[in-house]
Amino acid sequence: MSTPRGGRVLRAAPVTALLLAALLALPALSYAAGQPKPLEVAQRKAINPGLGPAPEDLDRSTPAATWRSFLSLGAKGAFPAAAHCLDLSEVPTDRQFDAGLRTAERLYKVLKALGAREDTVRADTPEGPMVDGTPLNYVVAIRFNRRGMRGEIWLRRTVASGSGEMVSLFTRRTVSSVALWYRVLIRHEKIQSGPLDMGLGAVPPDVNRSTPRDTAKGYQEACRHGDYRRAAFYFDLNAIPEAQQAEAGPRLARRLRIVLERTTWVDPENLSNDPGGLPEPGLGDDDELLTTIELKKTKVKILLHRHFFPDGSWAWVFSRSTVAAIDPLYAQYGFGWLGDRLPAVFFNVVVAGVALWQWTGLAIFLLLAWFVS
């Protein structure tokens, strides 16, 4: 009897040892899971060249120095100087001054509303906090959850590859989020949200609508593959009855492609790659201009719009006003009935200045003429 009992003990011993080892490892695993992950130093060709030279007395050498400088300049209303504390690399150079001035003023008001103090950021070394001897190269200055809005305000170590200048700046993600934070926390706006394109069904996993650039690229790629059903997910079809969206969406996606190809070249790289988009004069904070197309005696703006969902997430899609303009634009620039039915290759391929569909029509006409004769 003792042998079987002893055998069970021997067989159980490895299992017990494994359980004990796992229990001992839990604190270490928990610690590792909660550890912030270091980032590389952000690389930029130049630091905000559109702002001109930074003030000589502006200290951006550490996260804490940039934080103190920004709050001090903001308190004086010196927002042109405070803009030098922002990473404006996603903003075209010729627009950095205006965008920087506006964003700096708004960010300062947001920070004051969140109770920011000069000692909120204490990391006073260029690389910021260290984790296991490795520099993080960033600081999360504030995390907040106010009025249903969650956000994080970051500063990151940034280097200009041309000059080698190393500074700490409010990150691009922070800069692109300021407009939305300002609307909710300062203006107390209620952001409209709701479902999108329910008639199309579930959004395919390869549809990326995170930024204006992602949306433009995704739409163009879907069109190149002739996948107009997927391309329709980049549209705001909410003005169309849900039961008609599955049919109308692909047709409109195809028609817009034809209009764009016949009127203007759109390079997605010219669009913002930030989730918050790039504020533009004369447009709403949630709109970004793709291009403008003449329609009779007017000009139609082809806009991307940020649509908010009830959970706080969003998607960049072609705006409702753009979707409503597609059929009138197609009536002027499209190929009518043929354009809705023939494969795209008939319109994309041009030989001797004549589109393939025109060559095909000419061939059919000549064949019929020969047959009749």
Side-chain angles (χ1 to χ4, degrees), residues 65-346:
T66 297
W67 181 264
R68 291 191 299 265
S69 295
F70 184 82
L71 290 180
S72 175
L73 291 167
K76 300 173 184 176
F79 296 112
H84 286 276
C85 297
L86 312 176
D87 184 347
L88 299 170
S89 56
E90 274 295 326
V91 181
T93 302
D94 61 347
R95 293 167 56 187
Q96 285 183 355
F97 183 84
D98 291 337
L101 178 65
R102 180 173 60 253
T103 303
E105 182 175 4
R106 289 180 171 185
L107 177 57
Y108 177 75
K109 292 180 179 179
V110 167
L111 292 178
K112 298 308 290 183
L114 294 173
R117 304 187 311 271
E118 287 200 356
D119 61 352
T120 298
V121 176
R122 300 176 182 272
D124 226 347
T125 58
E127 62 274 6
M130 307 283 287
V131 174
D132 295 332
T134 302
L136 287 181
N137 292 317
Y138 69 90
V139 168
V140 182
I142 293 179
R143 290 185 173 93
F144 65 89
N145 184 0
R146 298 278 187 91
R147 301 180 63 86
M149 174 69 62
R150 295 177 181 271
E152 295 183 344
I153 298 173
W154 286 44
L155 296 102
R156 185 175 178 183
R157 197 180 186 194
T158 306
V159 62
S161 57
S163 64
E165 181 184 14
M166 187 87 70
V167 295
S168 285
L169 300 175
F170 287 92
T171 62
R172 293 194 305 197
R173 177 66 63 89
T174 296
V175 168
S176 70
S177 301
V178 168
L180 180 59
W181 295 342
Y182 182 80
R183 290 163 58 191
V184 174
L185 301 179
I186 306 302
R187 291 182 179 171
H188 297 168
E189 289 185 20
K190 182 176 177 58
I191 303 300
Q192 298 297 319
S193 64
L196 178 67
D197 302 346
M198 297 298 289
L200 295 182
V203 180
D206 57 347
V207 170
N208 183 1
R209 305 176 294 185
S210 304
T211 72
R213 187 181 300 173
D214 288 334
T215 291
K217 281 185 174 180
Y219 170 74
Q220 287 185 348
E221 181 183 356
C223 289
R224 278 197 300 269
H225 288 87
D227 190 351
Y228 296 108
R229 181 185 178 279
R230 177 158 61 99
F233 282 95
Y234 294 98
F235 286 8
D236 183 343
L237 301 172
N238 280 0
I240 299 174
E242 189 174 315
Q244 301 175 24
Q245 289 177 2
E247 179 182 354
R251 175 179 59 81
L252 291 168
R254 181 188 182 105
R255 287 187 165 192
L256 180 60
R257 177 195 183 177
I258 292 173
V259 169
L260 290 174
E261 288 182 344
R262 299 202 69 196
T263 56
T264 183
W265 164 250
V266 176
D267 185 358
E269 295 301 322
N270 292 332
L271 298 173
S272 171
N273 200 36
D274 273 326
L278 176 62
E280 299 185 50
L283 296 180
D285 287 330
D286 298 318
D287 293 324
E288 188 149 333
L289 182 65
L290 190 70
T291 188
T292 302
I293 301 176
E294 290 189 5
L295 178 61
K296 297 180 180 179
K297 295 182 179 180
T298 63
K299 291 187 177 181
V300 175
K301 292 179 179 178
I302 306 300
L303 295 172
L304 298 178
H305 177 76
R306 180 164 54 163
H307 177 92
F308 289 90
F309 297 101
D311 64 357
S313 63
W314 60 72
W316 284 91
V317 289
F318 285 89
S319 69
R320 291 190 200 182
S321 63
T322 297
V323 171
I326 292 175
D327 283 340
L329 286 169
Y330 184 78
Q332 180 167 321
Y333 295 104
F335 299 108
W337 182 87
L338 285 175
D340 287 332
R341 288 161 178 81
L342 287 179
V345 66
F346 280 87

Side-chain angles (χ1 to χ4, degrees), residues 6-7 33 39 41 44 56 61 200 260 308 329 336 369:
L39 296 178
V41 175
R44 305 288 181 258
E56 293 184 1
S61 58
L200 295 182
L260 290 174
F308 289 90
L329 286 169

